[in-house]
Amino acid sequence: MDLKDTTGEKEAVPAKETPAKPKPRGKKSAAAKASTASSKPVKSRKKGKAAAPAPETPAPETSAPEKPESAKPAAAADGQDFVMPDIGRLALNLMHAANLGQKAARQLMQADDSTSDASHAVHDLQRVGKTLMDVAASYMRNPAKIVEAQTALFEGYLGLASNITRRLLGEDVKPVASPSRSDKRFRDPDWQENIVFDLMKQSYLLTSKWLTERVRHADGIDQHTREKADFYVRQMANAVSPSNFLFTNPEILRTTLASNGENLVSGMEHLLEDIERGHGHIQIQQTDMSAFTLGENIATTPGKVVYQNDLMQLIQYEPTTEQVHKRPLVIFPPWINKYYILDLGPEKSLIKWCLDQGYTVFVASWVNPDARLALKTFEDYMYEGVYAALDAVEKATGEKEVNAVGYCIGGTLLACSLAHMAQRGDTRIKSATFLVTQVDFTEAGELKVFIDEEQISEIEQQMHEKGGYLKGSTMASTFNMLRSNDLIWNYVVNNYLLGREPMPFDILYWNSDATRLPSAMHVFYLRECYLENKLAEGRMVLGGEELHLGDVKVPVYLQSSREDHISPYNSVYKATKLFGGPVRFICAGSGHIAGVINPPSAGKYNHWLNDDLPDTPDDWFKGASDHKGSWWPDWEQWLSEKSGEMVPARIPGSGKLKVLEDAPGSYVLVKSED
């Protein structure tokens, strides 16, 4: 899922830093140890477990947290001076870094890629090429549009040349092209103050904007092709940004001079470690993975596993109040990534916050499936997930009636289950909360770039060849591409060119803790929901029942996030017209993760409220009121009215279900070794 979120939370420009000697991470690679360069590279260190939890104030979504203002070399104290290096040490370190880089390149070339992997890579390149040729052909059919496009680019460059000339003459001029407020690539002062770097930056921004506009203005191509072309062009533009290269990024160049190139040696060691960890492929380390241990400084809310089957463990949490609401609360997280996004730590934990408000909380901790579960279907997740959890909660508490929460795909499953229960006359779920959940997929955001029959068939074949499941790294890579500047190129610069350690960050640790997906379930979800939109149209069949969301009459709370790129708020809003009972829709600030995980104590972001449900989300926003801080209190007020009287708190294991093990349980500990 986080699916790591092009979410653009706005942040203040951080203080600039020019670090001294970079600190490499982890155990030095075998290739790095074998190097015989005579320069003195930074020594690798062994990592221990950090006692402190993650920083309290994360950066947007799953992007890296802002770097602290660390020690600065005296020669570069103002953050902009380019100091003269020790030429001898610089030369030796450059030779050492080049040697390590060559070894990294050899390891990548020697990777044990199967014929099928190579075939899929070729198909991907062919798809990109065909898509871009379709756009090019639309211009070739209309020579006037080619002239118009060339004129637009020429005028842009002419304006930039005039701008730079006036600046050289001492005028204070407004830039021709500027990055967005959420674009962190050009925050170093030299991108603005140094005319050479400013020229490179503006030329790049001008050209990349021109390319994306050409895609958007192309005639005679279908919408899906246009969306794919726009995505591919943006990926290529992100890759060639001047911020990604040594001699065109002032911060990297300044750091290289100040450290005599030791940052590059350290960075190449990091690259070798990442290739070794990825078994011949680059697996970028986004955070210090040794800084967190489940049950010790993350996923720490006390609880017990009281039920398990092939697909899930059900955790019942220990109460924190003497009295609790009579009706238990059951949460179904996504099984793309793991449940503890809801329990990152005491200050950020939605689970603990619910306990403190007086609820008996159960959470499904989904299995990390392997080939043995390849044939598990979406229907199995309904029966062995939702239905099994309801049965278990009744045994554990004696209560038949519950309130339910579904997050992302967990919410889609909950919606399907509610429609199925409506056909069976099962009324055990009395209210449903949906966190950034889609049930209508016609406007499902950038993920639809990867969804068409050709690509689904290829994914299905690939999963079959790999043992019947989608590798965790495949889904992680997909989500990283949605925010490639934040989740790929940011770390290429930080880890490999600046030679820095990624900071400990709980959300990124969770984001890197990938899960596999059973092939039968995944293909059903992609085809039935994203491609054919059967749930919204009343054509999906599960468990022998045709599902109609209009038959779901229970009260529904729909939470969305304004900058969500995985479940866009306009897509979530469509559910307001599909459920048959009373619906409350709210929109939170931020994105797919930070928009949900936003405790009141943090005092961050905002949310919008509007009791009316007009036809479109734009009309809803026009009538909405803006409220500072978390949306959790609004939800809890809504939920408490549907949770019954207060009763003595329930202790896990005191009912008919006995304790199997302590939370967080064993299922969540299984790693994906792809």
Side-chain angles (χ1 to χ4, degrees):
M1 184 174 101
D2 214 333
L3 274 164
K4 249 13 160 239
D5 192 343
T6 46
T7 339
E9 287 116 324
K10 309 300 186 289
E11 298 174 331
V13 177
K16 205 62 212 165
E17 66 167 331
T18 304
K21 199 172 181 180
K23 298 179 182 179
R25 59 195 158 165
K27 187 177 180 181
K28 186 180 288 187
S29 65
K33 288 179 179 178
S35 175
T36 58
S38 59
S39 62
K40 185 179 179 181
V42 181
K43 298 293 183 183
S44 294
R45 57 180 168 81
K46 296 198 177 194
K47 293 193 231 179
K49 293 174 184 175
E56 184 57 31
T57 307
E61 284 303 312
T62 52
S63 59
E66 293 293 350
K67 306 175 185 72
E69 191 171 10
S70 57
K72 302 176 183 178
D78 63 357
Q80 300 180 67
D81 294 338
F82 290 82
V83 300
M84 284 299 295
D86 180 323
I87 300 299
R89 289 184 62 195
L90 176 62
L92 288 172
N93 279 327
L94 290 178
M95 291 174 60
H96 189 189
N99 183 38
L100 295 175
Q102 289 174 358
K103 291 178 180 179
R106 286 197 296 270
Q107 288 192 16
L108 289 173
M109 295 175 65
Q110 294 169 1
D112 185 21
D113 284 332
S114 66
T115 303
S116 62
D117 286 337
S119 175
H120 291 304
V122 169
H123 288 164
D124 289 340
L125 290 174
Q126 290 175 339
R127 183 181 302 109
V128 172
K130 181 181 182 303
T131 301
L132 296 181
M133 282 301 299
D134 287 344
V135 174
S138 76
Y139 281 89
M140 294 170 66
R141 291 191 297 267
N142 189 346
K145 292 208 69 170
I146 297 178
V147 174
E148 178 186 335
Q150 291 176 331
T151 301
L153 183 61
F154 177 76
E155 289 177 348
Y157 286 150
L158 192 63
L160 178 58
S162 173
N163 180 286
I164 294 298
T165 301
R166 290 166 58 197
R167 183 176 170 184
L168 285 170
L169 294 174
E171 289 188 44
D172 186 11
V173 293
K174 184 178 180 181
V176 172
S178 298
S180 66
R181 289 181 58 193
S182 61
D183 189 344
K184 301 193 289 274
R185 294 175 294 176
F186 304 105
R187 289 185 173 181
D188 188 279
D190 271 321
W191 287 115
Q192 288 75 45
E193 297 170 7
N194 186 301
I195 195 167
V196 175
F197 291 113
D198 186 33
L199 175 60
M200 285 190 288
K201 176 195 70 177
Q202 292 194 62
S203 298
Y204 163 74
L205 293 173
L206 192 68
T207 306
S208 59
K209 180 181 179 183
W210 178 84
L211 285 169
T212 56
E213 286 180 345
R214 299 290 68 78
V215 172
R216 291 165 188 168
H217 296 159
D219 296 329
I221 59 175
D222 62 90
Q223 185 61 24
H224 183 56
T225 299
R226 189 187 310 277
E227 290 171 352
K228 287 195 296 182
D230 179 71
F231 180 79
Y232 299 149
V233 166
R234 284 188 288 112
Q235 294 303 309
M236 290 185 284
N238 291 344
V240 300
S241 169
S243 59
N244 297 336
F245 302 96
L246 168 60
F247 292 107
T248 55
N249 183 321
E251 184 180 13
I252 301 171
L253 187 57
R254 193 167 53 243
T255 301
T256 301
L257 296 176
S259 69
N260 296 308
E262 290 181 350
N263 58 303
L264 300 178
V265 174
S266 181
M268 291 303 99
E269 290 176 342
H270 291 175
L271 177 60
L272 281 165
E273 292 170 9
D274 289 349
I275 293 172
E276 288 180 357
R277 187 174 57 255
H279 307 292
H281 302 276
I282 300 175
Q283 186 175 324
I284 298 177
Q285 186 165 311
Q286 298 174 334
T287 187
D288 181 358
M289 297 297 288
S290 71
F292 302 97
T293 300
L294 291 176
E296 293 185 14
N297 60 356
I298 195 169
T300 58
T301 301
K304 307 292 183 183
V305 175
V306 295
Y307 173 82
Q308 71 180 40
N309 57 29
D310 285 346
L311 286 180
M312 73 154 185
Q313 288 187 320
L314 188 67
I315 301 172
Q316 180 182 356
Y317 286 92
E318 296 178 5
T320 61
T321 59
E322 293 184 359
Q323 298 281 311
V324 296
H325 289 280
K326 187 174 188 294
R327 192 169 288 165
L329 182 66
V330 188
I331 303 176
F332 299 100
W335 52 88
I336 302 171
N337 290 108
K338 296 178 180 179
Y339 88 88
Y340 62 88
I341 187 62
L342 301 169
D343 191 28
L344 292 174
E347 298 81 13
K348 298 179 183 178
S349 174
L350 177 62
I351 291 169
K352 185 179 185 303
W353 188 83
C354 290
L355 292 169
D356 292 342
Q357 311 312 306
Y359 293 92
T360 302
V361 179
F362 292 82
V363 172
S365 174
W366 301 103
V367 73
N368 192 354
D370 55 20
R372 294 171 299 172
L373 301 176
L375 299 181
K376 289 292 185 180
T377 64
F378 203 83
E379 184 176 300
D380 290 324
Y381 274 79
M382 178 179 72
Y383 282 128
E384 298 179 44
V386 176
Y387 275 106
L390 295 178
D391 293 339
V393 169
E394 182 178 355
K395 292 177 181 177
T397 65
E399 297 293 335
K400 288 186 176 181
E401 298 179 350
V402 306
N403 294 316
V405 177
Y407 190 167
C408 192
I409 190 175
T412 305
L413 175 68
L414 176 60
C416 293
S417 302
L418 284 166
H420 189 269
M421 294 169 72
Q423 298 300 316
R424 299 286 178 91
D426 189 333
T427 60
R428 287 179 288 176
I429 296 178
K430 294 301 181 182
S431 78
T433 298
F434 296 97
L435 309 179
V436 289
T437 295
Q438 298 177 99
V439 293
D440 185 315
F441 290 78
T442 52
E443 297 182 42
E446 288 190 320
L447 277 177
K448 293 204 75 173
V449 167
F450 303 99
I451 309 298
D452 52 45
E453 184 54 47
E454 178 189 5
Q455 293 186 81
I456 292 175
S457 296
E458 285 187 16
I459 292 171
E460 188 172 16
Q461 179 184 350
Q462 189 174 2
M463 289 190 292
H464 176 73
E465 293 167 352
K466 293 298 181 182
Y469 59 84
L470 187 71
K471 298 190 299 183
S473 59
T474 301
M475 185 59 71
S477 297
T478 299
F479 284 119
N480 286 344
M481 287 176 64
L482 297 181
R483 299 183 62 210
S484 59
N485 280 333
D486 286 333
L487 296 178
I488 297 176
W489 299 112
N490 173 58
Y491 295 101
V492 169
V493 172
N494 182 81
N495 300 5
Y496 306 149
L497 296 176
L498 291 172
R500 296 173 182 160
E501 288 291 330
M503 293 177 63
F505 188 25
D506 49 13
I507 290 180
L508 284 173
Y509 176 86
W510 167 84
N511 186 57
S512 300
D513 193 5
T515 55
R516 298 177 287 260
L517 300 174
S519 58
M521 180 284 303
H522 190 52
V523 169
F524 177 93
Y525 177 58
L526 294 180
R527 279 207 176 100
E528 299 273 318
C529 293
Y530 275 93
L531 189 60
E532 300 182 21
N533 202 32
K534 286 186 177 181
L535 177 59
E537 296 175 5
R539 298 185 293 114
M540 181 181 287
V541 176
L542 283 181
E545 303 288 353
E546 191 172 72
L547 307 184
H548 300 279
L549 295 178
D551 294 335
V552 177
K553 306 296 185 183
V554 302
V556 163
Y557 189 101
L558 286 173
Q559 180 270 339
S560 64
S561 295
R562 185 69 182 266
E563 296 167 1
D564 192 340
H565 66 294
I566 295 172
S567 302
Y569 73 87
N570 55 311
S571 183
V572 175
Y573 189 81
K574 291 179 178 295
T576 63
K577 309 304 176 186
L578 295 175
F579 289 110
V583 175
R584 179 169 180 77
F585 177 86
I586 72 103
C587 189
S590 191
H592 195 75
I593 303 301
V596 175
I597 309 305
N598 183 27
S601 60
K604 295 175 62 178
Y605 312 129
N606 62 335
H607 61 281
W608 291 266
L609 302 176
N610 185 353
D611 292 336
D612 296 329
L613 297 174
D615 290 338
T616 68
D618 290 340
D619 290 337
W620 184 90
F621 266 108
K622 289 177 183 177
S625 55
D626 188 350
H627 300 263
K628 300 300 181 184
S630 173
W631 58 273
W632 292 7
D634 178 80
W635 170 59
E636 198 280 324
Q637 182 180 352
W638 177 90
L639 182 65
S640 64
E641 297 170 355
K642 298 159 182 64
S643 298
E645 62 188 4
M646 306 302 288
V647 299
R650 298 130 173 161
I651 306 300
S654 61
K656 295 181 180 179
L657 293 181
K658 300 307 176 185
V659 171
L660 301 180
E661 59 181 318
D662 291 336
S666 56
Y667 281 18
V668 75
L669 300 179
V670 177
K671 301 293 184 180
S672 295
E673 299 294 339
D674 297 331

PDB file of all heavy atoms in Angstrom, residues 68-82:
ATOM      1  N   PRO A  68      18.486  16.433  10.272  1.00  0.00           N
ATOM      2  CA  PRO A  68      18.799  17.394  11.302  1.00  0.00           C
ATOM      3  C   PRO A  68      19.970  18.262  10.893  1.00  0.00           C
ATOM      4  O   PRO A  68      20.760  17.901  10.032  1.00  0.00           O
ATOM      5  CB  PRO A  68      19.173  16.509  12.504  1.00  0.00           C
ATOM      6  CG  PRO A  68      19.695  15.273  11.878  1.00  0.00           C
ATOM      7  CD  PRO A  68      18.892  15.072  10.623  1.00  0.00           C
ATOM      8  N   GLU A  69      20.074  19.396  11.526  1.00  0.00           N
ATOM      9  CA  GLU A  69      21.181  20.289  11.216  1.00  0.00           C
ATOM     10  C   GLU A  69      22.403  19.793  11.949  1.00  0.00           C
ATOM     11  O   GLU A  69      22.627  20.080  13.109  1.00  0.00           O
ATOM     12  CB  GLU A  69      20.834  21.715  11.637  1.00  0.00           C
ATOM     13  CG  GLU A  69      21.830  22.725  11.105  1.00  0.00           C
ATOM     14  CD  GLU A  69      21.357  24.140  11.350  1.00  0.00           C
ATOM     15  OE1 GLU A  69      20.379  24.309  12.077  1.00  0.00           O
ATOM     16  OE2 GLU A  69      21.979  25.065  10.829  1.00  0.00           O
ATOM     17  N   SER A  70      23.197  18.989  11.284  1.00  0.00           N
ATOM     18  CA  SER A  70      24.323  18.336  11.910  1.00  0.00           C
ATOM     19  C   SER A  70      25.576  19.182  11.768  1.00  0.00           C
ATOM     20  O   SER A  70      25.562  20.287  11.264  1.00  0.00           O
ATOM     21  CB  SER A  70      24.535  16.953  11.305  1.00  0.00           C
ATOM     22  OG  SER A  70      24.723  17.076   9.927  1.00  0.00           O
ATOM     23  N   ALA A  71      26.688  18.606  12.217  1.00  0.00           N
ATOM     24  CA  ALA A  71      27.940  19.335  12.201  1.00  0.00           C
ATOM     25  C   ALA A  71      28.309  19.756  10.796  1.00  0.00           C
ATOM     26  O   ALA A  71      28.153  19.017   9.841  1.00  0.00           O
ATOM     27  CB  ALA A  71      29.034  18.458  12.787  1.00  0.00           C
ATOM     28  N   LYS A  72      28.815  20.966  10.677  1.00  0.00           N
ATOM     29  CA  LYS A  72      29.205  21.482   9.375  1.00  0.00           C
ATOM     30  C   LYS A  72      30.708  21.722   9.360  1.00  0.00           C
ATOM     31  O   LYS A  72      31.254  22.258  10.318  1.00  0.00           O
ATOM     32  CB  LYS A  72      28.500  22.812   9.091  1.00  0.00           C
ATOM     33  CG  LYS A  72      26.998  22.718   9.122  1.00  0.00           C
ATOM     34  CD  LYS A  72      26.387  24.090   8.923  1.00  0.00           C
ATOM     35  CE  LYS A  72      24.875  24.057   9.014  1.00  0.00           C
ATOM     36  NZ  LYS A  72      24.260  25.361   8.874  1.00  0.00           N
ATOM     37  N   PRO A  73      31.380  21.392   8.284  1.00  0.00           N
ATOM     38  CA  PRO A  73      32.799  21.706   8.196  1.00  0.00           C
ATOM     39  C   PRO A  73      33.009  23.203   8.269  1.00  0.00           C
ATOM     40  O   PRO A  73      32.243  23.979   7.705  1.00  0.00           O
ATOM     41  CB  PRO A  73      33.213  21.158   6.833  1.00  0.00           C
ATOM     42  CG  PRO A  73      32.133  20.210   6.446  1.00  0.00           C
ATOM     43  CD  PRO A  73      30.891  20.695   7.111  1.00  0.00           C
ATOM     44  N   ALA A  74      34.053  23.600   8.941  1.00  0.00           N
ATOM     45  CA  ALA A  74      34.292  25.021   9.116  1.00  0.00           C
ATOM     46  C   ALA A  74      34.422  25.735   7.788  1.00  0.00           C
ATOM     47  O   ALA A  74      33.974  26.858   7.613  1.00  0.00           O
ATOM     48  CB  ALA A  74      35.555  25.222   9.953  1.00  0.00           C
ATOM     49  N   ALA A  75      35.023  25.063   6.821  1.00  0.00           N
ATOM     50  CA  ALA A  75      35.247  25.710   5.528  1.00  0.00           C
ATOM     51  C   ALA A  75      33.979  25.923   4.748  1.00  0.00           C
ATOM     52  O   ALA A  75      33.949  26.670   3.790  1.00  0.00           O
ATOM     53  CB  ALA A  75      36.227  24.881   4.698  1.00  0.00           C
ATOM     54  N   ALA A  76      32.906  25.226   5.137  1.00  0.00           N
ATOM     55  CA  ALA A  76      31.641  25.363   4.413  1.00  0.00           C
ATOM     56  C   ALA A  76      30.541  25.761   5.362  1.00  0.00           C
ATOM     57  O   ALA A  76      29.416  25.367   5.225  1.00  0.00           O
ATOM     58  CB  ALA A  76      31.312  24.066   3.705  1.00  0.00           C
ATOM     59  N   ALA A  77      30.874  26.600   6.323  1.00  0.00           N
ATOM     60  CA  ALA A  77      29.923  26.915   7.376  1.00  0.00           C
ATOM     61  C   ALA A  77      28.700  27.635   6.867  1.00  0.00           C
ATOM     62  O   ALA A  77      27.623  27.517   7.435  1.00  0.00           O
ATOM     63  CB  ALA A  77      30.617  27.762   8.449  1.00  0.00           C
ATOM     64  N   ASP A  78      28.843  28.421   5.779  1.00  0.00           N
ATOM     65  CA  ASP A  78      27.680  29.152   5.294  1.00  0.00           C
ATOM     66  C   ASP A  78      26.810  28.298   4.397  1.00  0.00           C
ATOM     67  O   ASP A  78      25.791  28.750   3.913  1.00  0.00           O
ATOM     68  CB  ASP A  78      28.120  30.416   4.552  1.00  0.00           C
ATOM     69  CG  ASP A  78      28.939  30.118   3.302  1.00  0.00           C
ATOM     70  OD1 ASP A  78      29.205  28.930   3.048  1.00  0.00           O
ATOM     71  OD2 ASP A  78      29.293  31.076   2.590  1.00  0.00           O
ATOM     72  N   GLY A  79      27.199  27.031   4.166  1.00  0.00           N
ATOM     73  CA  GLY A  79      26.386  26.122   3.368  1.00  0.00           C
ATOM     74  C   GLY A  79      26.514  26.340   1.879  1.00  0.00           C
ATOM     75  O   GLY A  79      25.847  25.695   1.109  1.00  0.00           O
ATOM     76  N   GLN A  80      27.369  27.298   1.424  1.00  0.00           N
ATOM     77  CA  GLN A  80      27.459  27.570  -0.001  1.00  0.00           C
ATOM     78  C   GLN A  80      28.893  27.640  -0.513  1.00  0.00           C
ATOM     79  O   GLN A  80      29.098  27.708  -1.717  1.00  0.00           O
ATOM     80  CB  GLN A  80      26.751  28.895  -0.317  1.00  0.00           C
ATOM     81  CG  GLN A  80      25.269  28.880   0.058  1.00  0.00           C
ATOM     82  CD  GLN A  80      24.613  30.205  -0.259  1.00  0.00           C
ATOM     83  OE1 GLN A  80      24.484  30.571  -1.418  1.00  0.00           O
ATOM     84  NE2 GLN A  80      24.201  30.926   0.763  1.00  0.00           N
ATOM     85  N   ASP A  81      29.880  27.663   0.368  1.00  0.00           N
ATOM     86  CA  ASP A  81      31.258  27.768  -0.070  1.00  0.00           C
ATOM     87  C   ASP A  81      31.730  26.453  -0.680  1.00  0.00           C
ATOM     88  O   ASP A  81      31.473  25.386  -0.151  1.00  0.00           O
ATOM     89  CB  ASP A  81      32.169  28.125   1.105  1.00  0.00           C
ATOM     90  CG  ASP A  81      31.880  29.515   1.642  1.00  0.00           C
ATOM     91  OD1 ASP A  81      31.320  30.325   0.879  1.00  0.00           O
ATOM     92  OD2 ASP A  81      32.197  29.773   2.817  1.00  0.00           O
ATOM     93  N   PHE A  82      32.459  26.557  -1.801  1.00  0.00           N
ATOM     94  CA  PHE A  82      33.072  25.395  -2.418  1.00  0.00           C
ATOM     95  C   PHE A  82      34.555  25.420  -2.044  1.00  0.00           C
ATOM     96  O   PHE A  82      35.337  26.174  -2.630  1.00  0.00           O
ATOM     97  CB  PHE A  82      32.880  25.428  -3.937  1.00  0.00           C
ATOM     98  CG  PHE A  82      31.457  25.191  -4.352  1.00  0.00           C
ATOM     99  CD1 PHE A  82      30.529  26.229  -4.328  1.00  0.00           C
ATOM    100  CD2 PHE A  82      31.028  23.938  -4.741  1.00  0.00           C
ATOM    101  CE1 PHE A  82      29.218  26.013  -4.698  1.00  0.00           C
ATOM    102  CE2 PHE A  82      29.716  23.718  -5.110  1.00  0.00           C
ATOM    103  CZ  PHE A  82      28.805  24.747  -5.084  1.00  0.00           C
TER     104      PHE A  82
END
